Amino acid sequence: MSAGASAAQARPWDGHASAGEIARALGLPIQGDASAAIHRIAGLSQAKSGQISFLSQARLAPQLDSTQASVLIVRPDQLVRAQANPAVHAVLVSPDPYLSYARLTQWWVQRHQPLREQQVAALPEASPPASCRIHPSAVVDARARLGENVTVDALAHIAAGAVVGPGARVGSHCVIEAGAVLGADSVMRPRATLARDCRTGQRALLQSGAVIGGDGFGFAPEQGRWVKIEQLGGVLLGDDVEIGANTCVDRGALDDTVIEDGVKLDNLVQIGHNVHIGAHAAMAGCVGVAGSARIGAGCTVGGAGMVLGHLELAPGVHISAASLVTKSITQPGVYTGVFPIAENAVWEKNAATLRQLSRLRDKVRKLERGGPD
Amino acid sequence: MSAGASAAQARPWDGHASAGEIARALGLPIQGDASAAIHRIAGLSQAKSGQISFLSQARLAPQLDSTQASVLIVRPDQLVRAQANPAVHAVLVSPDPYLSYARLTQWWVQRHQPLREQQVAALPEASPPASCRIHPSAVVDARARLGENVTVDALAHIAAGAVVGPGARVGSHCVIEAGAVLGADSVMRPRATLARDCRTGQRALLQSGAVIGGDGFGFAPEQGRWVKIEQLGGVLLGDDVEIGANTCVDRGALDDTVIEDGVKLDNLVQIGHNVHIGAHAAMAGCVGVAGSARIGAGCTVGGAGMVLGHLELAPGVHISAASLVTKSITQPGVYTGVFPIAENAVWEKNAATLRQLSRLRDKVRKLERGGPD
Amino acid sequence: MSAGASAAQARPWDGHASAGEIARALGLPIQGDASAAIHRIAGLSQAKSGQISFLSQARLAPQLDSTQASVLIVRPDQLVRAQANPAVHAVLVSPDPYLSYARLTQWWVQRHQPLREQQVAALPEASPPASCRIHPSAVVDARARLGENVTVDALAHIAAGAVVGPGARVGSHCVIEAGAVLGADSVMRPRATLARDCRTGQRALLQSGAVIGGDGFGFAPEQGRWVKIEQLGGVLLGDDVEIGANTCVDRGALDDTVIEDGVKLDNLVQIGHNVHIGAHAAMAGCVGVAGSARIGAGCTVGGAGMVLGHLELAPGVHISAASLVTKSITQPGVYTGVFPIAENAVWEKNAATLRQLSRLRDKVRKLERGGPD
């Protein structure tokens, strides 16, 4: 996945703002150098010079000492610690840094959206190569870039700023947005969507209704309401990835959601933002993987299996159908957690006892100590 | 949600028929005033004068005494009780009122569909405001009504009789049907669908592939077959609602499915007909809420959580991921019901014992009474 | 389902190749008559004269004696047994017949795809009947065949070689591909997809976003990678079938996926390849049925219920919501397997005991034998 490396260099939402401008936009007091230049919002541990980050959970406070971010948003009680880091040029003080981060993403998008549109509008216009077969009803913007031998079926839409690799086939009613890249020899079946800033490797196969690049599900709570965190990352698919019908792969919050080479996802699978799926993993229908989970290479998840957020599965872990993974799994093997099905009457009796299971255990303990009293 | 109040006044499928016409159409005997005028089909407890309802479950028979419906469909053994209600002008007698209700919805739709189409055809034609940006490939019917500064991307379809509020952005390949309303400053990402009679509040965000207004899943059984109950309600979304990619919100059977202000639904969520979701609730990916459930304000449901039909969750209830709610929950708090995952061999041993759990309990009881005999 | 019978006669991917050509294409040694003519790939038990099959699982070896396939792919140790069957004219020897089968499907598609395209291109062009109402923005290929009184809404695409029965209504942004048949009086709501070689009976209702004919999830493992098995079957829906919004029905691997008359599927349901669903079964939202399962007539599956692959449910089996079927069920009745939901603290205590349940049983056994020692 050579595309991955270059992605670390420049990202679609990179922009420019000073610490002072950000503080004013968010209505926050600032300590330090208000002229500090910021080009990206980043997580505390990934942030580098010229980037802004925030501390939302007290347990991550030690990262304040090591982060390379130039500007930080922290609670008042973390101000001194943040300022002690020599890499930090300015600190914005917020009673709720996570909420401030949400507002920052909104301001960032509003500020840079016009610039992005100008960049796309400034792209040179060109006709597709003569080797392409494009249905007359398809809408291929002159500022999209198509490789040789691309096929575009009826009523597909390839937007300005999209890139389609040679030999790719774009099905009827597909959408490829600005900044998206469909790799060489890839196939999009009818009604697949490759949203802005989402890229596939070579020989991707996107089944009908697949949505690559919906927004990750990110909100900051504010007085009982939800404030949207704009999702600034994209999706990066490796080579030979297959995505099933009506399956969704969300874009990352700040970085990309990554699916490595050879991964196969069945239909109606949900992949949350910033998930990382290792090479040649496979997931059956109706699986869900919540945000920021890391699935090791060669893992499999049976139908309707679920993996909670921020967990890690070691390579070679196999999750049985309908099982919920609630903690990280470090050893390869087969893992299961499903209630055995039975005739309903039998289930009801067992379930009734199960509801009192810890009491049953207590009774057995008492019996072990000398029988009932 | 001011739109909600006005919706109670007139509904898209309001029409006109006499009790006698309905009786003839359904092939049912009628007692009482065959000229009684009907303009709507309604549930027994919601029905008002000028409306027709039915009694399908004997346990609801006491509602026959208090319903305000002008015409009822009941079993022969309920005829006398139905006639005793002075609000009831006519009674249709059916061996299977639920099946008759299904057939009534079909007849009602066939009768009034041409009228609805005439109403739409009679709408005045107008050009969108000059401030709108409409891609030349988009299909915007001249009898659709667009506010100022609406953006419509390539190949989107806004049908006659649809309304799009000012500042809204309609993505590529979106569909907005007759009678649908997209609120001001709302955004539909590519390939979202807002079906007939479905309305959003302001600043709605519909991700790609979202379907607002699929039919609710309603059928009456008849000799081992399923007879479709036409779904006459719509969907009503409040302000600031976000609907995830490929998520489905079904239209109501007779009334609307309602999602209040600030609710956030992740991807691949299923909301059944006539569900009511209170303000600022949030549901993670792959959640399902079955028909007529009521979810309180501020509730959350973890990924793949499921709520059965007709249940009620009090405000502030939090359902853990993959947990199935099988009864109403009246107290706020966190609720969980998942089989703990384990290495498959360990699971198999525990599951085998679980299948005999009620016997294990019996053994412990016997031991408590004096040990094994 | 009369269409089913004729489907057994000729299939879309029927073609022509000799055993020798196949052996060369797969790089496999061949024993026997290299000129043996092959027109179809088939499963071992279904294969007939003129067809090629393979043995991937040793436990199925007895089928080598009875298969009617003309050509087989087997492991070296099965060569003699395969040759002993007089119906078998040639045997290809492979160290991994399942992988060879995967490669064969790929080669078969590449070989015959141009022929299929030529067949479609050679279809006569014709205008739709004057009774049809076709929106000017719809794309209806002149080599599609439409019955009387068909309605096609804006931006729908009906491809060359598609057939639409009389009275059918094709919604906005629907796609009907080559070789697909939409039955008379059927309705496709906006953005439904009927992919190549998929057929519905009369009065089908496909809700928005439904995908009929995504690829089945079939791959052969090869050194830690997945090799795609091209899915050569289609989907066959009976009369009066309703498919919910964003529901997926996968095409079969070699034969068709079959859904019989009157079946109703709710939203976001996943039906794997080669599933067979008996007449008038019904499945609620978020259900999953894995590949090759057979669901009996009149079965019901509650929301998010799951049926594993290759299982069989007898007619009249009812699976409760969120229950996982892990073995075939031969007796009608209600079956359940869900962990009862509880306040999280209660659940945690019960779940902790559950993790040790088999030990608890051992303790009780010990107590029964004479109390703790």
Side-chain angles (χ1 to χ4, degrees):
Chain A
M1 292 177 64
S2 54
S6 66
Q9 316 304 75
R11 298 221 187 101
W13 285 104
D14 282 355
H16 292 285
S18 72
E21 285 175 307
I22 293 172
R24 266 197 307 281
L26 302 180
L28 298 179
I30 181 172
Q31 299 284 331
D33 178 9
S35 71
I38 292 301
H39 71 275
R40 186 185 297 177
I41 311 168
L44 206 49
S45 60
Q46 294 86 31
K48 296 194 169 46
S49 176
Q51 303 181 6
I52 183 170
S53 191
F54 62 97
L55 176 70
S56 62
Q57 303 178 66
R59 68 178 175 82
L60 299 179
Q63 294 187 12
L64 290 179
D65 307 336
S66 57
T67 183
Q68 294 301 304
S70 296
V71 178
L72 289 174
I73 309 175
V74 301
R75 292 172 58 99
D77 58 340
Q78 302 287 3
L79 172 60
V80 172
R81 188 167 185 171
Q83 288 179 311
N85 181 335
V88 175
H89 298 327
V91 181
L92 281 60
V93 181
S94 164
D96 186 343
Y98 195 63
L99 177 61
S100 296
Y101 155 59
R103 299 233 183 269
L104 172 58
T105 62
Q106 295 183 6
W107 178 80
W108 194 265
V109 165
Q110 284 191 354
R111 178 186 177 92
H112 294 103
Q113 179 67 38
L115 300 173
R116 294 203 61 180
E117 291 175 3
Q118 285 168 27
Q119 286 172 351
V120 169
L123 290 170
E125 302 201 352
S127 297
S131 59
C132 292
R133 293 199 306 171
I134 299 175
H135 194 281
S137 68
V139 176
V140 179
D141 195 282
R143 288 154 299 177
R145 187 150 49 87
L146 272 60
E148 297 285 343
N149 296 304
V150 167
T151 305
V152 183
D153 204 349
L155 298 164
H157 177 212
I158 304 179
V163 175
V164 179
R169 287 180 281 156
V170 180
S172 185
H173 285 97
C174 286
V175 179
I176 307 179
E177 294 192 310
V181 178
L182 182 67
D185 299 314
S186 292
V187 174
M188 291 174 74
R189 302 277 301 132
R191 292 207 300 102
T193 297
L194 192 63
R196 66 166 167 77
D197 308 333
C198 296
R199 290 161 291 154
T200 83
Q202 299 184 31
R203 297 172 302 277
L205 174 49
L206 310 184
Q207 301 281 345
S208 290
V211 178
I212 310 301
D215 279 350
F217 198 62
F219 303 92
E222 180 189 30
Q223 298 180 330
R225 294 157 180 270
W226 301 105
V227 177
K228 184 171 179 72
I229 299 168
E230 294 289 344
Q231 305 291 299
L232 307 180
V235 174
L236 183 60
L237 306 183
D239 293 336
D240 301 297
V241 169
E242 179 165 343
I243 304 289
N246 284 342
T247 280
C248 301
V249 182
D250 278 349
R251 62 176 63 254
L254 294 168
D255 300 316
D256 289 340
T257 302
V258 177
I259 297 183
E260 293 194 350
D261 293 349
V263 170
K264 310 296 182 185
L265 302 183
D266 198 356
N267 301 346
L268 292 167
V269 170
Q270 156 64 6
I271 305 296
H273 54 180
N274 297 107
V275 166
H276 186 114
I277 303 182
H280 309 296
M283 301 188 185
C286 309
V287 161
V289 181
S292 301
R294 291 185 68 88
I295 310 294
C299 285
T300 62
V301 184
M306 289 279 147
V307 182
L308 293 187
H310 296 273
L311 300 185
E312 194 154 344
L313 301 194
V317 165
H318 304 284
I319 305 299
S320 299
S323 299
L324 174 72
V325 182
T326 51
K327 57 182 196 296
S328 290
I329 297 178
T330 58
Q331 299 299 318
V334 178
Y335 296 82
T336 308
V338 293
F339 200 106
I341 195 167
E343 287 179 33
N344 189 68
V346 173
W347 171 80
E348 281 192 352
K349 282 173 74 172
N350 289 330
T353 306
L354 180 58
R355 288 190 187 93
Q356 312 287 338
L357 189 58
S358 65
R359 288 196 209 166
L360 185 67
R361 182 202 56 196
D362 294 345
K363 286 178 183 177
V364 171
R365 282 184 184 163
K366 188 181 279 185
L367 284 165
E368 288 179 319
R369 285 196 308 266
D373 38 17
Chain B
M1 293 174 66
S2 55
S6 66
Q9 315 304 76
R11 296 218 189 105
W13 286 104
D14 282 355
H16 291 285
S18 71
E21 285 175 307
I22 294 171
R24 265 196 308 281
L26 302 181
L28 298 180
I30 181 172
Q31 299 284 331
D33 178 10
S35 70
I38 293 301
H39 70 274
R40 185 185 296 176
I41 310 168
L44 206 50
S45 61
Q46 294 87 32
K48 295 193 171 45
S49 176
Q51 303 182 6
I52 183 170
S53 191
F54 62 97
L55 175 70
S56 62
Q57 302 179 65
R59 66 179 177 82
L60 299 179
Q63 294 187 13
L64 290 179
D65 307 334
S66 56
T67 184
Q68 294 303 303
S70 296
V71 179
L72 289 174
I73 308 174
V74 301
R75 292 171 58 100
D77 57 341
Q78 302 288 2
L79 171 61
V80 172
R81 187 167 186 170
Q83 288 178 311
N85 181 335
V88 174
H89 298 328
V91 181
L92 281 58
V93 181
S94 165
D96 187 342
Y98 194 62
L99 177 61
S100 296
Y101 156 59
R103 299 233 184 267
L104 172 57
T105 62
Q106 295 183 6
W107 178 80
W108 193 265
V109 165
Q110 285 191 353
R111 177 185 177 92
H112 294 104
Q113 180 68 38
L115 300 174
R116 293 203 62 179
E117 291 176 3
Q118 286 168 25
Q119 285 171 353
V120 169
L123 290 170
E125 302 202 352
S127 296
S131 59
C132 293
R133 293 200 305 173
I134 299 176
H135 194 281
S137 67
V139 175
V140 180
D141 194 282
R143 287 155 299 176
R145 186 150 50 86
L146 272 60
E148 298 284 342
N149 296 304
V150 166
T151 305
V152 183
D153 205 349
L155 299 163
H157 177 212
I158 302 179
V163 176
V164 179
R169 285 180 282 157
V170 180
S172 185
H173 284 97
C174 285
V175 178
I176 306 179
E177 294 193 309
V181 178
L182 181 67
D185 299 315
S186 292
V187 175
M188 291 174 73
R189 302 278 300 134
R191 292 207 299 103
T193 296
L194 192 63
R196 67 167 166 78
D197 308 333
C198 296
R199 290 161 291 154
T200 83
Q202 298 184 31
R203 298 172 301 279
L205 174 50
L206 310 184
Q207 301 281 345
S208 290
V211 177
I212 310 300
D215 279 350
F217 198 62
F219 302 91
E222 182 190 29
Q223 298 179 329
R225 294 157 180 268
W226 301 104
V227 176
K228 183 170 180 72
I229 299 168
E230 294 290 344
Q231 305 290 300
L232 306 181
V235 175
L236 183 60
L237 306 184
D239 293 335
D240 301 298
V241 170
E242 179 165 342
I243 304 291
N246 284 342
T247 279
C248 301
V249 182
D250 277 348
R251 63 178 61 254
L254 294 169
D255 300 316
D256 289 340
T257 302
V258 177
I259 298 183
E260 293 195 349
D261 293 348
V263 169
K264 311 295 182 186
L265 304 183
D266 198 356
N267 301 347
L268 292 167
V269 169
Q270 156 65 5
I271 305 296
H273 54 178
N274 297 106
V275 166
H276 186 115
I277 304 183
H280 309 297
M283 301 188 185
C286 309
V287 161
V289 181
S292 300
R294 291 186 68 88
I295 310 294
C299 286
T300 62
V301 183
M306 290 278 148
V307 181
L308 293 187
H310 297 272
L311 301 185
E312 194 154 343
L313 301 193
V317 165
H318 304 285
I319 305 299
S320 298
S323 299
L324 175 72
V325 182
T326 51
K327 57 181 196 296
S328 290
I329 298 179
T330 59
Q331 299 299 317
V334 177
Y335 296 81
T336 307
V338 293
F339 201 107
I341 194 167
E343 287 180 33
N344 189 68
V346 172
W347 171 80
E348 282 192 351
K349 282 174 74 173
N350 288 330
T353 306
L354 181 57
R355 288 191 187 93
Q356 312 287 338
L357 188 58
S358 64
R359 289 194 208 168
L360 185 67
R361 183 202 55 196
D362 294 344
K363 287 178 182 176
V364 171
R365 281 184 185 164
K366 188 180 280 186
L367 285 165
E368 288 179 319
R369 286 197 307 268
D373 39 16
Chain C
M1 291 176 66
S2 55
S6 66
Q9 316 304 74
R11 298 221 188 101
W13 286 104
D14 282 355
H16 291 284
S18 71
E21 285 174 307
I22 293 171
R24 265 197 308 282
L26 302 181
L28 298 179
I30 182 171
Q31 300 284 331
D33 178 9
S35 71
I38 292 301
H39 70 276
R40 186 186 296 176
I41 310 169
L44 205 50
S45 60
Q46 294 86 32
K48 295 193 171 46
S49 175
Q51 303 182 5
I52 183 170
S53 190
F54 62 97
L55 176 72
S56 61
Q57 302 178 65
R59 66 178 176 83
L60 299 179
Q63 294 187 11
L64 290 180
D65 307 336
S66 56
T67 183
Q68 294 302 305
S70 296
V71 179
L72 289 174
I73 309 175
V74 301
R75 293 171 57 99
D77 57 342
Q78 303 287 2
L79 172 60
V80 172
R81 186 166 186 172
Q83 287 178 311
N85 181 334
V88 174
H89 299 328
V91 181
L92 281 59
V93 181
S94 164
D96 186 343
Y98 194 62
L99 177 61
S100 296
Y101 156 58
R103 299 233 184 267
L104 172 58
T105 62
Q106 295 183 5
W107 178 80
W108 194 265
V109 166
Q110 283 191 355
R111 176 185 177 94
H112 294 105
Q113 179 67 40
L115 300 174
R116 294 202 61 179
E117 292 175 2
Q118 286 168 26
Q119 285 172 352
V120 169
L123 290 170
E125 302 201 352
S127 297
S131 60
C132 293
R133 294 198 307 171
I134 299 176
H135 194 282
S137 67
V139 175
V140 179
D141 195 282
R143 286 154 301 176
R145 186 151 50 87
L146 271 60
E148 297 285 341
N149 296 304
V150 167
T151 306
V152 183
D153 204 350
L155 298 163
H157 177 213
I158 303 178
V163 175
V164 179
R169 287 180 281 156
V170 180
S172 185
H173 285 97
C174 286
V175 178
I176 306 179
E177 294 192 309
V181 178
L182 182 67
D185 299 315
S186 292
V187 175
M188 291 175 73
R189 302 277 301 132
R191 293 208 298 103
T193 296
L194 192 63
R196 66 165 166 79
D197 308 333
C198 296
R199 292 161 291 154
T200 82
Q202 298 185 33
R203 297 172 302 278
L205 174 50
L206 311 185
Q207 301 281 346
S208 291
V211 177
I212 310 301
D215 279 350
F217 198 61
F219 302 92
E222 181 189 31
Q223 299 179 330
R225 295 158 180 268
W226 301 104
V227 177
K228 184 171 179 72
I229 299 167
E230 293 291 343
Q231 304 290 300
L232 307 181
V235 175
L236 182 61
L237 305 184
D239 292 336
D240 301 298
V241 170
E242 178 165 342
I243 304 290
N246 284 342
T247 280
C248 301
V249 181
D250 278 348
R251 63 177 62 254
L254 294 170
D255 300 314
D256 288 341
T257 301
V258 177
I259 297 184
E260 293 195 350
D261 292 348
V263 170
K264 311 295 182 184
L265 304 184
D266 198 357
N267 301 346
L268 291 167
V269 169
Q270 156 65 5
I271 305 296
H273 54 180
N274 296 106
V275 166
H276 186 114
I277 303 182
H280 309 295
M283 302 189 185
C286 309
V287 161
V289 180
S292 301
R294 291 185 68 89
I295 310 294
C299 286
T300 63
V301 184
M306 289 278 148
V307 181
L308 294 187
H310 296 273
L311 301 186
E312 194 154 344
L313 301 194
V317 165
H318 304 284
I319 305 299
S320 299
S323 299
L324 174 72
V325 182
T326 50
K327 58 181 193 298
S328 290
I329 298 179
T330 59
Q331 298 300 318
V334 178
Y335 295 82
T336 308
V338 293
F339 200 106
I341 194 167
E343 287 179 35
N344 190 67
V346 172
W347 172 80
E348 282 192 351
K349 282 174 73 172
N350 288 332
T353 306
L354 181 57
R355 288 191 186 92
Q356 312 286 337
L357 189 58
S358 63
R359 289 195 209 168
L360 185 66
R361 182 202 55 195
D362 294 345
K363 287 179 182 176
V364 172
R365 282 183 184 165
K366 188 180 281 185
L367 285 165
E368 288 179 318
R369 286 196 308 266
D373 39 15

